[in-house]
Amino acid sequence: MTAYVEAVSELRPKMRRAIIMVQDLVMVLVAVALSLILSQSRLSFDAFSLGGLACWALIVLVAHLLFRSSGLYNTVWRFASTPDFFNILKGCGSLTVVLYLASLAFRFFLQPVSGLNERQFIVFFLVSFTIISAPRLYYRFLRDGASWRILRRAPGDAPVKQALFIGRLGEADLIVRFTRAAQPAEYAIAGIMATEADAPLGTQIQGVPVVALRPRLVEVLEDYVKGTENLDLLIFGNGVEREIEDYAELVRVARHSGIAVVQFSGLSELGQGGKLVLDAVEMETIMRRSAVATDTTRIGAFVGGKRVLVTGGAGSIGRVLVKRALELGAEAVLVADNSEFGIFQLDQLIDDKDRDRLTSRIVDVTDRPHMMRLVSEFKPAILFHAAALKHVPLLEENWEAAIETNVFGTLACAEVAAECGVPQFLLISSDKAVDPTSVLGVTKRAAEQIVSSLHETQAAPSPLHAGAANGHQAGAHHAHHLGAHRPGTKFIAVRFGNVFGSNGSVATIFQAQIEAGGPVTITDRRMTRYFMTVAEAVDLVIMSAADAEQRQGRDDYAIYMLDMGKPVPILEVAETMIRMAGKSPYTDIPIRFTGIRPGEKLHETLHGENEEVVKLDIAKIFGLRSDVVQWPRIEAALPALVAAMHNRDKAAALAILAGLNLAPEDIGARGQAVPKTAGQIG
């Protein structure tokens, strides 16, 4: 029976419906035969004569018409609910009455038929209803038979949330066991939707049926929510978002139906037992790209046992870098950030077992003496420089702050790393640095050039002389010369696009707008961006650092680029988020287009035309070969940049920075960038 039901459920809807109709008509004929046998009736005519066959054909035709008119085929039989069984009752009752009236008319107008009376029709009704309902009831049992046991609660018991689990069978076994052992019970698993394509449909895990397999998870869930009003929760297994392509659609279907969605992330120990840890499913996870499993062994070996310093450690990326370093077994982690509230928030996210390995300091990365003191005392093996200002329109007006933090802050931290002999310095860069048209872009590109130049200098035998910005509080800058560079410092930058869900990203803005009832505002319907989850970005950043540690000579790269997949339309992100909230775009939540803001591009790119992208033996990571500005040229540009900032000359400052991204032949006689480039940026 199970094999038959499974085979029918795999067919296309029209074919499945036709087979169900034929099945019901066969059941009607079987019910006629059984009713005669059970009532021990003997007909006075030959059942297989021409007249008998015509009688059976007429019964089949009448049954089909009555079943269709009763609405028996308007729903999916494998998810039959109470109204569907009432339709079966109505159809079988109507058929019994019609056949009984037909037999009376036949006996009255033509000839009496012995062996046929009211008793046979009562038996026929009971038998036909039973055997037509049985296949539907059986599949319902296979799908969520466990839910019947859930509903059997003693009076006064706390309500138990009924849940479907989507994930691996091994994890399902663990979750079912813990939900049943919990006192008081909070959740009960009614069915399992297995992500293994070869899992046996219809089998049970501790009495809970496997109700769906890939790739038909969405279809089954849609049918389930239509036929079941008692489902409260959809639980995803750990890491399911990386295993199935329909993850976002499953979340949408559930939320649109008012079903809460959570994700299993592990067990927390409580006394002698444990408790399921169920996390809310965030848009960061829903909008994930197709991800490759992280080589945890390699990045763990790289970070494990080392001292790690993260500037901007209270920001979106820095925060996850800090947590990941602790998870990977770093000996100690130092956070350097100028946001008191950000550091407070970070502290709330750290597990108690990791607090003794974490130190936080409120410091501005442009404060070179303070950074020197921190680094010389902490002695990190890795310095992740994530501190930056990065809001495109805001930095167009606050260009001095952008240059101060993104350029001179990077320079100060890089100098400190070099002077203190930090083995590795890694800059978190941005796709805005490619062919920059904004203040953010040009400052991040300048930061990349600083790191690239130091990377080249580090590989050369000659001593390094670096320029730094100092005295930023008083508004005056001067060049500072650094002594001989200690060998061993590896300078690299990692470039990638938008981090979904970071502070100030479209995700957080859209979420707030949706919660407020709209409208959701988008600058341009054509705008696209690259997106990556912060967790994936951080792992790939660490992997890039691990790779750079092993490279020397020609195969050494100053800039790494992360594979961001395909650019995503911002409009699609907004529409998806609205649907995830159980709303309809344009109907429930309006979308308004406001126009491109200063400094924004319609489309971002990850590398320039003059950059060579080199495929590495690491998934999702590329090396970049790019023009590198020699250090003397950077050092010579610093006094002019300091003077432009002192004079509040934005055009001159941006022209100087733009010049660091040009070949020598593109620079004018006086050392300024050609006007068209400055105009594009300013």
Side-chain angles (χ1 to χ4, degrees), residues 61-384:
L61 177 61
V62 172
H64 178 69
L65 295 175
L66 289 175
F67 286 168
R68 287 181 70 95
S69 64
S70 298
L72 200 56
Y73 305 118
N74 293 337
T75 56
V76 183
W77 70 273
R78 54 201 173 99
F79 296 107
S81 57
T82 302
D84 302 307
F85 286 105
F86 178 76
N87 289 338
I88 299 173
L89 183 70
K90 182 170 61 176
C92 292
S94 301
L95 179 61
T96 302
V97 171
V98 169
L99 293 181
Y100 177 65
L101 294 176
S103 69
L104 290 179
F106 187 83
R107 282 185 290 181
F108 181 79
F109 292 106
L110 297 176
Q111 60 181 15
V113 179
S114 60
L116 198 63
N117 52 48
E118 287 77 6
R119 181 176 58 186
Q120 282 79 28
F121 289 99
I122 295 174
V123 175
F124 169 78
F125 168 73
L126 296 175
V127 171
S128 61
F129 176 76
T130 301
I131 63 178
I132 290 175
S133 302
R136 295 161 166 85
L137 188 64
Y138 182 69
Y139 196 88
R140 179 68 186 242
F141 172 76
L142 291 181
R143 192 193 65 158
D144 62 350
S147 63
W148 296 341
R149 292 188 294 276
I150 296 171
L151 294 175
R152 291 206 295 265
R153 295 193 298 264
D157 283 356
V160 177
K161 294 181 179 179
Q162 296 187 57
L164 279 180
F165 174 76
I166 302 179
R168 296 175 293 277
L169 294 183
E171 207 167 53
D173 178 70
L174 175 69
I175 289 177
V176 170
R177 176 155 42 89
F178 270 83
T179 54
R180 288 181 175 173
Q183 293 296 332
E186 294 183 68
Y187 314 103
I189 309 301
I192 299 167
M193 303 176 75
T195 54
E196 297 101 326
D198 58 347
L201 184 67
T203 57
Q204 298 184 349
I205 303 294
Q206 298 189 49
V208 179
V210 177
V211 301
L213 307 176
R214 293 173 62 188
R216 301 179 60 250
L217 300 178
V218 174
E219 180 185 347
V220 172
L221 180 63
E222 286 177 336
D223 288 333
Y224 199 109
V225 297
K226 289 177 183 177
T228 305
E229 297 180 356
N230 297 323
L231 185 63
D232 303 301
L233 199 64
L234 187 66
I235 302 176
F236 284 102
N238 192 14
V240 165
E241 73 279 4
R242 295 190 296 270
E243 298 177 6
I244 56 177
E245 292 297 322
D246 296 325
Y247 183 84
E249 184 63 11
L250 288 166
V251 175
R252 186 197 68 79
V253 170
R255 286 185 172 170
H256 190 70
S257 303
I259 298 169
V261 182
V262 295
Q263 186 148 13
F264 171 69
S265 61
L267 299 171
S268 63
E269 296 182 3
L270 296 173
Q272 300 297 320
K275 182 180 178 64
L276 294 177
V277 179
L278 301 177
D279 299 327
V281 173
E282 304 292 347
M283 281 302 303
E284 174 192 8
T285 307
I286 295 169
M287 291 297 293
R288 97 279 181 264
R289 305 170 308 112
S290 178
V292 175
T294 304
D295 188 348
T296 308
T297 302
R298 185 171 179 182
I299 63 176
F302 174 69
V303 174
K306 293 182 179 178
R307 302 175 72 81
V308 178
L309 192 156
V310 183
T311 68
S316 305
I317 297 174
R319 184 186 310 139
V320 180
L321 265 171
V322 169
K323 293 185 65 178
R324 192 61 168 143
L326 292 171
E327 292 171 358
L328 293 172
E331 177 189 337
V333 178
L334 173 63
V335 172
D337 201 292
N338 65 353
S339 171
E340 177 192 18
F341 184 62
I343 289 177
F344 170 77
Q345 287 182 309
L346 171 65
D347 188 63
Q348 305 306 304
L349 298 174
I350 303 301
D351 294 336
D352 291 338
K353 61 182 177 63
D354 295 327
R355 290 186 188 279
D356 60 340
R357 292 186 290 141
L358 177 66
T359 305
S360 300
R361 293 290 182 266
I362 301 175
V363 57
D364 192 320
V365 292
T366 62
D367 187 346
R368 188 180 182 280
H370 196 167
M371 287 300 302
M372 177 67 75
R373 186 166 62 253
L374 286 181
V375 174
S376 60
E377 292 175 357
F378 185 69
K379 295 180 173 60
I382 313 166
L383 195 160
F384 291 107

Side-chain angles (χ1 to χ4, degrees), residues 73 157 215 218 290 395 405 416 456 553 636 640 647:
Y73 305 118
D157 283 356
V218 174
S290 178
L395 295 187
T405 299
V416 168
E456 294 280 318
N647 296 328

